[in-house]
Amino acid sequence: MAKKIPTRLYLDEEEIPKYWYNLRADMQDKPDPILHPGTLQPATATDLEVVFCKECIKQELDDTTRLIEIPEGLQEFYRAYRPAPLIRAKFLEKALDTPAEIYYKHEGTNTSGSHKLNSAAAQAFYAKAEGLSSLTTETGAGQWGTAMAMACAFYGLGLTVYMVKVSSEQKPYRKALIETYGANLIPSPSNTTEAGRKILALNPNTGGSLGCAISEAVETAVKTDKCRYVLGSVLNHVVLHQSIIGQEAKAALDKYDIKPDIIIGCAGGGSNLGGLIAPFMGDKLAGKSKTQFIAVEPASCPSFTRGRYAYDFGDTAKTTPLLRMYTLGNGFIPSANHAGGLRYHGMNPILSKLYHDGFLEARSAIQTDVFDAAVRFAKIEGILPAPESSHAIKVAIDEALACKRTGEKKRILFGLTGTGYFDMTAYMAYNAKTMSDVIPSDADLEQGFSSLPDIPQNKQ
Ligand SMILES: *Cc1c(COP(=O)(O)O)cnc(C)c1O
């Protein structure tokens, strides 16, 4: 007899996965290699060592090891806030009057408020183990900066955070939280780096962008002794760390023999989505399932749905290695959407490849529709979602309503990446009905594409 499905699908502490799952090992067609921007040859570990921690580079370049052990000193930290709850959205199902089953993995229960802590802790752990004394990073909406600040406080490392200027103004409490955990926070662009000074000279009133903050953080890491740079999304090792989300979700669902038909995640740089879907996508690639995967991005920053599959820089100063990804161009500056964590021009190379090869779908959503879904979810399920996460909620509701029309009893799983406590400016705009929907024109996108590197690899 099938077990009764509870509202919370618990895992015991000893059931927390001890391995990350590296999906690339099971991809027959691998993502294209990272290129050195000067030689245009595949980047080597040595090329990357001035910027990143050694272990992260090893993971970044590894596309053959399926399971990578989570070190004990990190598992210990994970146990303080994991497993993250996997919840059946029974109230939402009822309110939508849908035959579908809806589940969500709630990554917002730790103090930083999002899934980003999973990779922040891993990167801080490795930095400490390698004998570094400090790290630099950027933060857009502030979630990554908070997660890194927490992780650095725990492992005893210094941290400088370049925070996109508009976000530091929109989210003063995020800034305060990052500073409370002991990090040095600098609104970007700033005059503390060459990259920042250059951008300010061109555009003194700019509110900044993630790409620009990355340039500043990388420059500072390279110029500081025993210091490296850490990134909270986009790169393959970040997706690897986030596979703890999918590993846990799968372990909990397997206990009840639940095979999701649809998995939905919001996509900024792709780390939560890549992590959530990893083991399920592995099954699909092996022909063991027909699960449908849907990435949801803001219509204001449509990397998948309107971007190009090309080699591009990760930052506006064009200093990072080149990644082949869906991108709007490193020069694309998205409008001031409230889902700050989704305002990035590019998308993780693994997800980009899967999308290109038809294993992953993508949809875009406009801001007011996303907030309609967010508020509906808050009222029905009780949890105030982050604006980013609400993109996934919007499409989960769409899919559940589609099931209502067709009578299909699909099982829908989505990633609830974080809580919205620090996004009250956005909710206030929504409540006051002053929220707008900015969708870039084709001409706006063309301008972004013109910043793509002019290299032979982009002409094929
Ligand atoms: C950063 C962030 C995202 C987007 O980042 P991904 O790397 O695409 O996962 C989504 N949700 C929240 C709450 C975030 O903080």
Side-chain angles (χ1 to χ4, degrees), residues 104-132:
Y104 56 95
K105 183 76 171 156
H106 184 9
E107 289 289 329
T109 58
N110 68 78
T111 298
S112 78
S114 83
H115 67 286
K116 294 216 168 64
L117 190 58
N118 302 330
S119 185
Q123 298 193 50
F125 173 85
Y126 288 128
K128 188 69 184 177
E130 282 164 34
L132 298 173

Side-chain angles (χ1 to χ4, degrees), residues 136-139 160-166 168-169 175 184-220 223 316-317:
T136 68
T137 195
E138 77 295 327
T139 196
T160 299
V161 180
Y162 289 91
M163 184 167 188
V164 177
K165 197 190 275 166
V166 279
S168 71
E169 289 160 3
K175 180 169 176 284
N184 170 29
L185 189 142
I186 303 174
S188 164
S190 76
N191 55 17
T192 65
T193 64
E194 258 167 56
R197 287 190 290 271
K198 223 181 250 175
I199 292 161
L200 283 175
L202 283 173
N203 190 355
N205 296 322
T206 177
S209 70
L210 263 188
C212 155
I214 293 174
S215 306
E216 293 206 88
V218 170
E219 182 183 325
T220 301
K223 287 181 176 165
T316 8

Side-chain angles (χ1 to χ4, degrees), residues 26-105:
D26 287 334
M27 289 169 71
Q28 235 164 29
D29 298 314
K30 311 275 186 202
D32 289 290
I34 299 174
L35 299 184
H36 183 288
T39 63
L40 301 182
Q41 294 302 306
T44 63
T46 320
D47 293 335
L48 302 172
E49 269 172 22
V50 275
V51 177
F52 297 103
C53 305
K54 287 201 177 82
E55 192 60 31
C56 293
I57 296 170
K58 193 171 144 208
Q59 294 172 349
E60 187 63 29
L61 300 177
D62 184 345
D63 59 10
T64 54
T65 312
R66 286 188 77 241
L67 294 175
I68 295 177
E69 194 172 2
I70 303 171
E72 174 50 35
L74 177 58
Q75 282 187 40
E76 198 179 25
F77 184 80
Y78 279 175
R79 284 195 290 270
Y81 71 98
R82 305 198 69 83
L86 179 67
I87 302 170
R88 170 122 182 235
K90 288 187 176 165
F91 297 121
L92 183 61
E93 289 172 15
K94 202 166 157 201
L96 298 175
D97 188 24
T98 174
E101 288 173 19
I102 307 171
Y103 301 87
Y104 56 95
K105 183 76 171 156

Side-chain angles (χ1 to χ4, degrees), residues 119-275:
S119 185
Q123 298 193 50
F125 173 85
Y126 288 128
K128 188 69 184 177
E130 282 164 34
L132 298 173
S133 44
S134 67
L135 294 169
T136 68
T137 195
E138 77 295 327
T139 196
Q143 286 95 310
W144 173 246
T146 313
M148 270 318 299
M150 271 179 83
C152 285
F154 185 79
Y155 287 108
L157 289 160
L159 177 69
T160 299
V161 180
Y162 289 91
M163 184 167 188
V164 177
K165 197 190 275 166
V166 279
S167 306
S168 71
E169 289 160 3
Q170 268 178 5
K171 296 178 147 188
Y173 294 117
R174 271 279 169 210
K175 180 169 176 284
L177 186 56
I178 294 169
E179 288 170 337
T180 301
Y181 277 103
N184 170 29
L185 189 142
I186 303 174
S188 164
S190 76
N191 55 17
T192 65
T193 64
E194 258 167 56
R197 287 190 290 271
K198 223 181 250 175
I199 292 161
L200 283 175
L202 283 173
N203 190 355
N205 296 322
T206 177
S209 70
L210 263 188
C212 155
I214 293 174
S215 306
E216 293 206 88
V218 170
E219 182 183 325
T220 301
V222 171
K223 287 181 176 165
T224 310
D225 190 37
K226 285 202 179 178
C227 178
R228 293 291 185 280
Y229 163 75
V230 288
L231 184 62
S233 184
V234 191
L235 295 177
N236 298 328
H237 66 272
V238 183
V239 170
L240 175 76
H241 303 153
Q242 295 299 354
S243 70
I244 186 84
I245 304 173
Q247 293 276 78
E248 271 185 15
K250 190 159 190 302
L253 291 172
D254 279 350
K255 281 183 151 182
Y256 300 94
D257 276 327
I258 301 166
K259 305 255 177 286
D261 299 293
I262 308 177
I263 303 182
I264 301 163
C266 62
S271 75
N272 87 82
L273 177 69

